[in-house]
Amino acid sequence: MFGTKGSSVHVQEIVRAWRKKGATVTLYCTRLGTDRPDDLADLDVVEVAGGCAEGPARELALEDAAFALAARILHDGCELVYERYSLFSPVVSVVASVLDVPAVLEVNAPLIEEQARYRQLFDVERAESALGRNARAADVVACVSAPVVRWVHGRVPTARTVLTPNGVNVERIAARTGGRHHDGHLTVAFVGTLKPWHGVPELFQAVALANMREARSPSGPNRWAVKVIGDGPVRTTLEELATSLGLEAEFTGAVAPGSVPGLLHECDVAAAPYPVEEPGRDDYFSPLKVYEYMAAGMPIVATSVGQIPSILDHGRTGLLVPAGDPAAFAAALGVLAADPGLRDRLGTQAREQAEMRFSWDGVLSRITAALPAPRKVA
């Protein structure tokens, strides 16, 4: 919960939003983490370790830990239960039925398919059963994207879903003041966990192409470097790719969420290079990094996939390019390299939109507004 991934950021921001509403929050989790921010130092936390087993035993251990958390909640009592969906947890169904309190299930991804495709899933039936019980018990199933809504309804047609894309904390992430002045050396930032579906190889290819084009520029070449803010399972592969392409690439490793804005402000452009959508699979993500780029006042280049075209206004709050087209991405970088004024305008207008449209308080308000009237939480 106090880690460096986007999921940790999401949990922390929802906690903050609840507390701003005046709620007293207790966080129940199986992995606490060590990067607790100062403003959540007083948060009540109950941690039950999920165990270190592997294979099918790991799935049973996670379910046992979730039951233990549910037992603690029943002992402590609550007036509303809000759970981030995980594969084998029964918490919403248990707590809502026993305590007769409003319940929210937050679904961020089609975890059953994701786990089976990218990791290992042994007991599919158990995972499907847990989702079904929780989705039927929840007063609201909050889904971060339309594909996630469809995925939930495909399994639980009666689920009471509401579409609630991610948001950003514009107080935690400040806008940079003024554009960066450079001597022909520019840096493009990527923030996120280094996983296959984030498109970083395509970004590296685009930056290499941009550098080749700039080398031939009659007005004097600019040189792009890459700052990768995050860590993950494909880091070694990416480091090797950067070397083979002759890129100047800095890998920061995992960093606390509070350190991300400062690292972004050291860069000239921020990138969201999601790859081409695979046939038969929706792009279900709600891109947390794009919201954070906007709040940081960064000019953004992003691929036009999934939810991104509904977030960024091409030419006004960012530049959109086709997915799977490094040449188009490189061309957008070239446009930004040649026009510092455009970089400043895009960043300023992106920040304005983040403030107006994408706060976490607004996300939570849409969720609570969907609760049945007799049990509505203020």
Side-chain angles (χ1 to χ4, degrees):
M1 296 300 97
F2 298 124
T4 59
K5 295 182 180 180
S7 55
S8 300
V9 172
H10 197 149
V11 171
Q12 292 172 31
E13 295 297 357
I14 289 294
V15 168
R16 290 186 178 103
W18 274 115
R19 283 162 59 122
K20 285 180 71 173
K21 281 182 173 289
T24 300
V25 179
T26 302
L27 178 67
Y28 296 81
C29 64
T30 58
R31 288 194 299 164
L32 183 59
T34 58
D35 296 306
R36 187 190 289 229
D38 292 342
D39 67 318
L40 297 180
D42 63 337
L43 180 68
D44 289 333
V45 177
V46 175
E47 182 182 18
V48 174
C52 300
E54 297 296 331
R58 177 179 179 275
E59 297 178 355
L60 292 173
L62 290 172
E63 184 181 59
D64 288 344
F67 271 113
L69 289 174
R72 287 294 302 270
I73 298 170
L74 295 179
H75 175 269
D76 297 343
C78 69
E79 294 172 290
L80 180 142
V81 57
Y82 185 112
E83 181 176 16
R84 181 183 174 93
Y85 166 53
S86 58
L87 281 169
F88 302 103
S89 171
V91 167
V92 157
S93 60
V94 171
V95 174
S97 62
V98 175
L99 297 183
D100 190 28
V101 294
V104 177
L105 179 67
E106 173 196 288
V107 183
N108 296 274
L111 290 185
I112 294 172
E113 282 82 357
E114 190 177 270
Q115 183 75 11
R117 179 178 177 83
Y118 295 108
R119 293 174 285 273
Q120 284 183 306
L121 180 60
F122 294 93
D123 197 336
V124 176
E125 184 177 347
R126 187 182 296 271
E128 295 274 9
S129 177
L131 172 64
R133 291 197 305 271
N134 281 346
R136 285 187 290 272
D139 294 283
V140 175
V141 180
C143 302
V144 297
S145 68
V148 172
V149 171
R150 292 193 291 270
W151 182 78
V152 170
H153 281 159
R155 283 162 170 74
V156 188
T158 59
R160 295 169 288 275
T161 59
V162 61
L163 176 60
T164 51
N166 285 331
V168 68
N169 186 334
V170 295
E171 297 170 0
R172 181 177 67 84
I173 301 180
R176 65 178 178 182
T177 55
R180 291 183 73 241
H181 299 284
H182 63 88
D183 55 359
H185 191 91
L186 301 102
T187 302
V188 58
F190 170 87
V191 174
T193 305
L194 304 182
K195 293 181 176 178
W197 56 85
H198 283 165
V200 182
E202 289 84 352
L203 172 63
F204 283 9
Q205 293 163 14
V207 173
L209 283 173
N211 284 338
M212 291 174 60
R213 293 179 178 182
E214 289 293 330
R216 300 191 295 268
S217 172
S219 61
N222 293 296
R223 177 76 180 174
W224 285 100
V226 183
K227 185 189 292 287
V228 178
I229 305 168
D231 208 345
V234 299
R235 174 172 174 173
T236 299
T237 302
L238 292 172
E239 289 174 332
E240 293 171 351
L241 177 61
T243 299
S244 70
L245 293 171
L247 294 184
E248 180 185 341
E250 176 188 355
F251 290 79
T252 68
V255 299
S259 300
V260 170
L263 292 169
L264 279 174
H265 293 164
E266 295 171 358
C267 302
D268 300 278
V269 173
Y274 291 97
V276 174
E277 180 181 327
E278 296 180 15
R281 184 172 69 88
D282 284 335
D283 279 313
Y284 57 80
F285 57 89
S286 183
L288 192 63
K289 63 172 61 63
V290 173
Y291 298 110
E292 294 191 341
Y293 294 162
M294 295 177 75
M298 299 295 295
I300 303 163
V301 181
T303 49
S304 185
V305 298
Q307 213 173 69
I308 291 176
S310 68
I311 302 168
L312 294 177
D313 183 0
H314 178 68
R316 182 167 174 268
T317 57
L319 298 181
L320 298 178
V321 300
D325 190 345
F329 209 111
L333 292 176
V335 168
L336 293 176
D339 193 341
L342 176 60
R343 296 200 300 271
D344 290 346
R345 288 193 300 276
L346 290 176
T348 298
Q349 290 161 177
R351 170 70 187 191
E352 291 172 353
Q353 285 298 297
E355 293 175 346
M356 292 172 56
R357 297 175 55 200
F358 300 124
S359 74
W360 282 113
D361 296 336
V363 172
L364 184 58
S365 291
R366 289 192 293 276
I367 293 171
T368 57
L371 289 168
R375 306 170 77 184
K376 188 172 291 185
V377 176

